[in-house]
Amino acid sequence: MAKKTAKKAVKKAAKKAAPKKAAKKAAKKVAKKKSARKPSAAFMKALTPSEALAAVIGSKAVPRTEVVKKLWVYIKANKLQDSKNRRMINADAKLKPVFGGKAQVSMFDMAKHISKHLK
Protein backbone atom coordinates (compact mmCIF):
# COMPACT_ATOMS: atom_id res chain seq x y z
CA MET A 1 0.00 0.00 0.00
CA ALA A 2 2.85 2.37 0.77
CA LYS A 3 4.35 1.75 -2.68
CA LYS A 4 1.10 2.77 -4.44
CA THR A 5 0.86 6.09 -2.58
CA ALA A 6 4.54 6.78 -3.26
CA LYS A 7 4.05 6.15 -7.00
CA LYS A 8 0.96 8.43 -7.10
CA ALA A 9 2.86 11.21 -5.36
CA VAL A 10 5.72 10.92 -7.89
CA LYS A 11 3.29 10.99 -10.85
CA LYS A 12 1.47 14.07 -9.47
CA ALA A 13 4.77 15.89 -8.95
CA ALA A 14 5.84 15.09 -12.53
CA LYS A 15 2.51 16.33 -13.95
CA LYS A 16 2.71 19.62 -12.03
CA ALA A 17 6.31 20.30 -13.09
CA ALA A 18 5.70 19.75 -16.82
CA PRO A 19 3.08 22.50 -17.41
CA LYS A 20 5.21 25.12 -15.64
CA LYS A 21 8.14 24.53 -17.99
CA ALA A 22 5.89 24.72 -21.04
CA ALA A 23 4.27 27.91 -19.77
CA LYS A 24 7.66 29.56 -19.26
CA LYS A 25 8.77 28.67 -22.80
CA ALA A 26 5.52 30.01 -24.28
CA ALA A 27 5.86 33.26 -22.34
CA LYS A 28 9.40 33.78 -23.67
CA LYS A 29 8.27 33.24 -27.28
CA VAL A 30 5.42 35.76 -26.98
CA ALA A 31 7.69 38.37 -25.42
CA LYS A 32 10.16 38.15 -28.31
CA LYS A 33 7.51 38.66 -31.02
CA LYS A 34 6.15 41.93 -29.58
CA SER A 35 7.57 45.08 -31.13
CA ALA A 36 6.79 48.76 -30.75
CA ARG A 37 3.63 49.84 -32.57
CA LYS A 38 4.24 52.32 -35.32
CA PRO A 39 1.53 54.91 -36.01
CA SER A 40 -0.01 54.96 -39.46
CA ALA A 41 1.49 57.60 -41.74
CA ALA A 42 -2.02 58.79 -42.66
CA PHE A 43 -2.75 59.74 -39.05
CA MET A 44 0.51 61.62 -38.68
CA LYS A 45 0.15 63.64 -41.90
CA ALA A 46 -0.14 67.35 -41.14
CA LEU A 47 -3.41 68.80 -42.44
CA THR A 48 -4.34 72.46 -42.87
CA PRO A 49 -7.56 73.49 -41.08
CA SER A 50 -10.20 75.66 -42.75
CA GLU A 51 -10.81 79.22 -41.49
CA ALA A 52 -13.76 78.09 -39.35
CA LEU A 53 -11.71 75.34 -37.69
CA ALA A 54 -8.62 77.57 -37.42
CA ALA A 55 -10.65 79.95 -35.23
CA VAL A 56 -10.93 77.13 -32.69
CA ILE A 57 -7.60 75.21 -32.90
CA GLY A 58 -5.24 77.64 -34.65
CA SER A 59 -4.13 77.97 -38.26
CA LYS A 60 -0.99 75.81 -38.01
CA ALA A 61 -1.06 72.52 -39.97
CA VAL A 62 -1.42 69.61 -37.52
CA PRO A 63 -2.18 65.85 -37.74
CA ARG A 64 -5.81 64.71 -37.49
CA THR A 65 -5.19 63.23 -34.02
CA GLU A 66 -3.96 66.58 -32.70
CA VAL A 67 -6.99 68.36 -34.21
CA VAL A 68 -9.32 66.13 -32.17
CA LYS A 69 -7.23 66.64 -29.01
CA LYS A 70 -7.24 70.43 -29.41
CA LEU A 71 -10.97 70.43 -30.08
CA TRP A 72 -11.58 68.48 -26.87
CA VAL A 73 -9.41 70.92 -24.92
CA TYR A 74 -11.56 73.77 -26.31
CA ILE A 75 -14.81 71.91 -25.51
CA LYS A 76 -13.75 71.15 -21.93
CA ALA A 77 -12.36 74.66 -21.31
CA ASN A 78 -15.62 76.28 -22.44
CA LYS A 79 -17.83 73.61 -20.80
CA LEU A 80 -19.61 72.80 -24.07
CA GLN A 81 -20.38 69.17 -23.22
CA ASP A 82 -24.09 68.76 -22.44
CA SER A 83 -24.63 68.37 -18.70
CA LYS A 84 -27.40 65.75 -18.95
CA ASN A 85 -26.29 63.79 -22.03
CA ARG A 86 -22.48 63.84 -21.94
CA ARG A 87 -22.26 62.39 -25.47
CA MET A 88 -23.62 65.60 -26.94
CA ILE A 89 -21.55 68.72 -27.57
CA ASN A 90 -23.24 72.11 -27.56
CA ALA A 91 -21.80 74.35 -30.27
CA ASP A 92 -20.90 77.94 -29.44
CA ALA A 93 -20.41 80.74 -32.01
CA LYS A 94 -16.96 79.41 -33.06
CA LEU A 95 -17.98 75.74 -33.30
CA LYS A 96 -21.30 76.21 -35.15
CA PRO A 97 -19.66 76.70 -38.59
CA VAL A 98 -17.42 73.65 -37.95
CA PHE A 99 -20.46 71.49 -37.07
CA GLY A 100 -22.34 72.54 -40.20
CA GLY A 101 -24.61 75.07 -38.45
CA LYS A 102 -25.95 72.54 -35.93
CA ALA A 103 -26.43 73.69 -32.33
CA GLN A 104 -25.72 70.24 -30.89
CA VAL A 105 -23.61 67.37 -32.26
CA SER A 106 -22.85 63.89 -30.94
CA MET A 107 -19.21 63.28 -30.04
CA PHE A 108 -19.26 60.33 -32.45
CA ASP A 109 -20.34 62.57 -35.34
CA MET A 110 -17.71 65.17 -34.49
CA ALA A 111 -14.98 63.45 -36.55
CA LYS A 112 -17.26 63.44 -39.59
CA HIS A 113 -17.77 67.21 -39.30
CA ILE A 114 -14.07 67.88 -38.68
CA SER A 115 -12.97 65.95 -41.78
CA LYS A 116 -14.81 68.44 -44.01
CA HIS A 117 -12.61 71.24 -42.61
CA LEU A 118 -9.22 69.59 -43.13
CA LYS A 119 -7.15 69.62 -46.34
Side-chain angles (χ1 to χ4, degrees):
M1 187 106 174
K3 286 184 181 180
K4 283 186 180 179
T5 28
K7 283 184 181 179
K8 283 184 182 179
V10 172
K11 283 184 180 179
K12 282 184 183 179
K15 282 184 182 179
K16 286 183 182 177
K20 286 182 184 177
K21 287 180 183 178
K24 284 183 183 179
K25 286 181 183 178
K28 285 181 183 178
K29 285 181 183 177
V30 173
K32 287 180 184 177
K33 288 182 183 178
K34 276 194 174 181
S35 62
R37 267 184 73 196
K38 294 178 184 174
S40 173
F43 280 124
M44 302 314 291
K45 182 181 175 188
L47 300 166
T48 310
S50 67
E51 287 182 32
L53 188 58
V56 179
I57 65 161
S59 59
K60 186 180 170 189
V62 288
R64 188 179 303 271
T65 52
E66 287 298 315
V67 171
V68 175
K69 285 180 188 176
K70 287 183 179 189
L71 208 55
W72 271 110
V73 168
Y74 179 82
I75 290 165
K76 300 255 182 186
N78 293 307
K79 298 179 181 171
L80 297 174
Q81 213 171 352
D82 193 51
S83 57
K84 290 184 181 178
N85 187 356
R86 304 288 288 168
R87 288 182 292 175
M88 299 305 281
I89 296 155
N90 300 320
D92 63 355
K94 285 184 177 181
L95 279 180
K96 230 174 195 179
V98 176
F99 292 157
K102 293 184 178 179
Q104 199 175 45
V105 173
S106 167
M107 66 171 65
F108 304 110
D109 293 336
M110 189 172 67
K112 177 176 72 176
H113 293 290
I114 292 169
S115 67
K116 295 174 185 173
H117 293 275
L118 293 171
K119 292 180 184 174

